[in-house]
Amino acid sequence: MGYREEKLREVRSAIEKIGGTMPEDLPTPEKSIQEIEKEQMARLKAKAKAGELMLDE
């Protein structure tokens, strides 16, 4: 067993021991970070093109 596998096993064991939620059981978000960033950039570019972009946005 390699170092990475050993540490992964230790982390999973610790999560189980404290009664935490395993990563594969966590909820999946509706949108990925990349999708949200893409939407925000498109919105900001549209505002900039329309001259409505404020510096605090």
Side-chain angles (χ1 to χ4, degrees):
M1 177 175 12
Y3 177 80
R4 184 177 184 277
E5 290 82 10
E6 182 181 330
K7 292 302 173 186
L8 178 62
R9 207 170 289 217
E10 286 178 24
V11 169
R12 292 185 66 81
S13 175
I15 292 170
E16 200 171 63
K17 183 178 176 181
I18 64 171
T21 304
M22 291 296 184
E24 61 270 15
D25 297 329
L26 292 171
T28 305
E30 292 180 23
K31 295 181 182 180
S32 70
I33 293 172
Q34 291 82 7
E35 289 173 316
I36 294 169
E37 287 175 341
K38 185 177 178 181
E39 290 172 0
Q40 287 179 337
M41 286 303 293
R43 190 184 80 243
L44 289 172
K45 285 180 182 179
K47 279 187 172 186
K49 190 172 185 178
E52 301 172 1
L53 185 62
M54 301 297 292
L55 293 176
D56 62 347
E57 291 188 84

